[in-house]
Amino acid sequence: MQPFVWESRIRFVDTDASGRIHYTALFRHFEAAEFEFLRSLGCSYVTLEEGYPRVHVECDYLAALRCDDTISTAVTVDRVGGTSFTLAFSVSLEGRQAAKGKITVVCIDRETQRPRPLPDRLSESLRTS
Amino acid sequence: MQPFVWESRIRFVDTDASGRIHYTALFRHFEAAEFEFLRSLGCSYVTLEEGYPRVHVECDYLAALRCDDTISTAVTVDRVGGTSFTLAFSVSLEGRQAAKGKITVVCIDRETQRPRPLPDRLSESLRTS
Amino acid sequence: MQPFVWESRIRFVDTDASGRIHYTALFRHFEAAEFEFLRSLGCSYVTLEEGYPRVHVECDYLAALRCDDTISTAVTVDRVGGTSFTLAFSVSLEGRQAAKGKITVVCIDRETQRPRPLPDRLSESLRTS
Amino acid sequence: MQPFVWESRIRFVDTDASGRIHYTALFRHFEAAEFEFLRSLGCSYVTLEEGYPRVHVECDYLAALRCDDTISTAVTVDRVGGTSFTLAFSVSLEGRQAAKGKITVVCIDRETQRPRPLPDRLSESLRTS
């Protein structure tokens, strides 16, 4: 099966005085890819009742990205646990991998702010994606 | 009376590929100055019950700012209305004005999301600052 | 003639604790619209030799925008001067205007960092857009 | 020896619609701490001839941070290699750890954009910090 891929363009605001992307800016692209991936599963965050804070993030930057570069971010499910899940991101530019990262998202009850089981529908969608 | 002045440093994340500050990054410095100005009046936003969205912003950029520059942002009250107020910001670098801007903040009821009168304490603090 | 319109989605990173968009985040959408507008004129910034810092920005926020809202940003040329130009932005959500702003961009020589005449091709493209 | 500690305040722009800090915003605080740590070693990035892109970042978020929270970020040297180094960050709020992360920075030649040995002065400063 084809992985979910999100295309986006590196913007000027994403760059820093080195002339390349500022490392934090790539996470804005990850976030867009993450939200669109969940939307593609029929589980848009904004329709879910729970809170979904990120509790872990990591990223390796393999190549410089510059303003106007169009990147493709492939999103795959790395792990689905009881109360959290991990997504893997692979960014490529013109067919070559430019960055790879992971984000772990935990499901919390908005009232108690404590972890709670992933809703079945989300859990199943992630497992079968 | 001396105006309120907030010192801050331009960070690498504030810059873009031009080597200068990205114009939007200066607003993060404005925001820190705004919040600290209100704190200095005894009216920290986080202690206020109402919502305070910005409804107008403007800024003129007069000189380039670069990573590690330490800027001084003077905050003054430009106008206090019934339901909103306008703050003026003047940024200087080494004694020379580098930017100037204004931000208009409206007081809203968090429930109805409609404008409501500024709380007396805030209104008076702003008028006498 | 139809104005240039750029569609984009409000992202979670664009929001703040009020639940609405943080006012500065809208400028990232303006920037994408600005760059794509110039690209549509055949004058992508990244292909131009000069520097193009923003020297003035203003924006009025007319309605709350929230995560996942899809906005349309119409870009029109407000003014073309000798060394600078002003673009106007009108943001709408579901057919209602949600924000409007202007950005003035000055053309500078990258070496001297001083203003210089707009390249003819850019100037003409802006005038006839 | 006492680790280097940088104090900063979570800003409104750092938050998102969850009411907590957006995970990417913490990296702005890491960056300020990183730059000030190097300054404290007498090795400010802006005075160094080489480029210093980040090639790896990771962070665990242990507690929610909110607007106006004042955090302390302790910076320690995790590893000093031939062409790169890793800094560790530990964020605490009111004496409790709220986040921990690592950032790996590689030294590159600005012309060739290829890794090169860390300057002796920086390497020694990091080893003895």
Side-chain angles (χ1 to χ4, degrees):
Chain A
M1 198 172 123
Q2 292 290 78
F4 178 85
V5 176
W6 178 249
E7 297 221 331
S8 56
R9 208 185 262 276
I10 306 300
R11 297 295 174 187
F12 196 53
V13 68
D14 293 338
T15 64
D16 61 36
S18 73
R20 296 180 296 269
I21 193 174
H22 189 269
Y23 77 99
T24 61
L26 194 59
F27 292 121
R28 284 199 291 268
H29 297 263
F30 278 19
E31 188 181 271
E34 175 190 353
F35 273 61
E36 296 304 324
F37 172 63
L38 264 77
R39 194 188 320 280
S40 77
L41 300 181
C43 297
S44 291
Y45 280 125
V46 296
T47 66
L48 297 171
E49 289 174 20
E50 306 79 21
Y52 289 89
R54 277 114 209 96
V55 292
H56 176 78
V57 59
E58 60 186 72
C59 188
D60 290 291
Y61 303 87
L62 309 171
L65 295 171
R66 292 189 165 76
C67 186
D68 260 12
D69 284 347
T70 298
I71 58 173
S72 299
T73 303
V75 186
T76 50
V77 178
D78 186 63
R79 187 188 61 84
V80 183
T83 61
S84 68
F85 60 95
T86 300
L87 301 177
F89 300 82
S90 178
V91 176
S92 58
L93 171 68
E94 295 170 4
R96 293 180 55 189
Q97 192 177 39
K100 60 177 178 174
K102 289 184 183 178
I103 291 178
T104 300
V105 182
V106 67
C107 179
I108 64 169
D109 184 292
R110 285 189 202 266
E111 290 296 314
T112 65
Q113 297 273 307
R114 304 295 308 165
R116 48 145 290 165
L118 293 173
D120 288 346
R121 193 163 61 90
L122 174 58
S123 184
E124 280 160 32
S125 295
L126 290 168
R127 283 180 209 279
T128 58
S129 76
Chain B
M1 199 174 121
Q2 294 289 79
F4 178 85
V5 177
W6 178 249
E7 297 219 330
S8 56
R9 208 185 261 277
I10 306 302
R11 298 295 173 186
F12 196 54
V13 68
D14 293 338
T15 64
D16 61 36
S18 74
R20 297 179 297 269
I21 193 172
H22 189 268
Y23 77 99
T24 61
L26 194 60
F27 292 121
R28 285 199 290 268
H29 296 262
F30 278 18
E31 187 180 270
E34 175 190 352
F35 273 61
E36 296 304 324
F37 173 64
L38 264 77
R39 195 189 319 282
S40 78
L41 299 181
C43 297
S44 291
Y45 280 123
V46 295
T47 66
L48 297 171
E49 288 174 22
E50 305 79 22
Y52 289 90
R54 277 116 210 94
V55 292
H56 176 77
V57 59
E58 60 185 73
C59 188
D60 291 291
Y61 304 86
L62 310 172
L65 295 171
R66 292 189 164 76
C67 186
D68 261 12
D69 284 346
T70 298
I71 58 174
S72 299
T73 304
V75 185
T76 50
V77 177
D78 187 64
R79 188 189 61 85
V80 183
T83 61
S84 68
F85 60 95
T86 301
L87 301 178
F89 301 83
S90 177
V91 175
S92 58
L93 172 68
E94 296 171 3
R96 294 180 54 188
Q97 192 176 41
K100 60 177 179 173
K102 288 185 184 179
I103 290 178
T104 300
V105 182
V106 67
C107 179
I108 63 169
D109 184 292
R110 285 190 201 267
E111 291 297 314
T112 65
Q113 298 273 307
R114 302 296 309 165
R116 47 144 292 165
L118 294 172
D120 289 346
R121 192 161 63 89
L122 175 58
S123 184
E124 281 160 31
S125 295
L126 290 167
R127 283 181 207 280
T128 58
S129 74
Chain C
M1 200 172 122
Q2 293 289 78
F4 178 85
V5 177
W6 178 248
E7 296 220 332
S8 56
R9 207 185 263 276
I10 306 299
R11 297 295 173 186
F12 197 53
V13 69
D14 293 338
T15 64
D16 61 37
S18 73
R20 298 178 297 268
I21 193 172
H22 189 270
Y23 77 100
T24 61
L26 194 60
F27 292 122
R28 285 199 290 268
H29 297 262
F30 278 19
E31 187 180 271
E34 175 191 352
F35 273 62
E36 297 304 324
F37 173 64
L38 266 76
R39 194 188 320 279
S40 77
L41 300 181
C43 297
S44 291
Y45 280 124
V46 296
T47 65
L48 297 171
E49 288 174 21
E50 305 79 21
Y52 288 90
R54 277 115 210 95
V55 293
H56 176 77
V57 60
E58 61 187 72
C59 188
D60 290 291
Y61 304 87
L62 309 172
L65 295 171
R66 292 189 165 76
C67 186
D68 260 14
D69 283 347
T70 298
I71 58 173
S72 299
T73 303
V75 186
T76 49
V77 178
D78 186 64
R79 190 190 59 85
V80 183
T83 61
S84 67
F85 60 95
T86 300
L87 301 178
F89 301 82
S90 178
V91 175
S92 58
L93 172 68
E94 295 170 5
R96 294 181 53 189
Q97 192 177 41
K100 60 178 178 172
K102 289 185 183 179
I103 291 178
T104 301
V105 182
V106 66
C107 180
I108 64 169
D109 184 292
R110 284 190 203 268
E111 291 296 314
T112 65
Q113 298 274 305
R114 303 295 307 164
R116 48 144 291 165
L118 293 172
D120 288 345
R121 191 162 63 89
L122 174 58
S123 184
E124 281 160 32
S125 295
L126 290 168
R127 283 181 208 279
T128 58
S129 75
Chain D
M1 200 171 119
Q2 293 290 78
F4 178 85
V5 177
W6 177 249
E7 296 219 331
S8 56
R9 207 185 263 277
I10 306 301
R11 297 295 174 186
F12 197 55
V13 68
D14 294 338
T15 64
D16 60 37
S18 73
R20 297 179 297 269
I21 192 172
H22 190 269
Y23 77 100
T24 60
L26 193 60
F27 292 122
R28 285 199 291 268
H29 296 262
F30 278 18
E31 187 181 271
E34 175 191 353
F35 273 62
E36 296 305 323
F37 173 64
L38 265 77
R39 194 189 320 280
S40 78
L41 300 180
C43 296
S44 291
Y45 280 124
V46 295
T47 66
L48 297 171
E49 290 175 20
E50 305 79 20
Y52 289 90
R54 277 115 210 94
V55 292
H56 176 76
V57 60
E58 60 186 72
C59 188
D60 291 291
Y61 304 86
L62 310 172
L65 295 172
R66 291 189 165 77
C67 185
D68 260 14
D69 283 347
T70 299
I71 58 173
S72 299
T73 303
V75 186
T76 49
V77 178
D78 187 65
R79 188 189 62 84
V80 183
T83 61
S84 68
F85 60 95
T86 300
L87 300 178
F89 300 82
S90 177
V91 175
S92 57
L93 172 68
E94 295 170 4
R96 293 180 55 188
Q97 192 176 40
K100 60 178 179 173
K102 289 185 184 179
I103 291 178
T104 300
V105 182
V106 66
C107 179
I108 63 169
D109 184 292
R110 285 189 201 267
E111 291 296 314
T112 65
Q113 298 273 307
R114 303 295 306 164
R116 48 143 291 166
L118 294 172
D120 288 346
R121 192 162 64 89
L122 174 58
S123 183
E124 281 161 30
S125 295
L126 290 167
R127 283 181 208 279
T128 59
S129 76

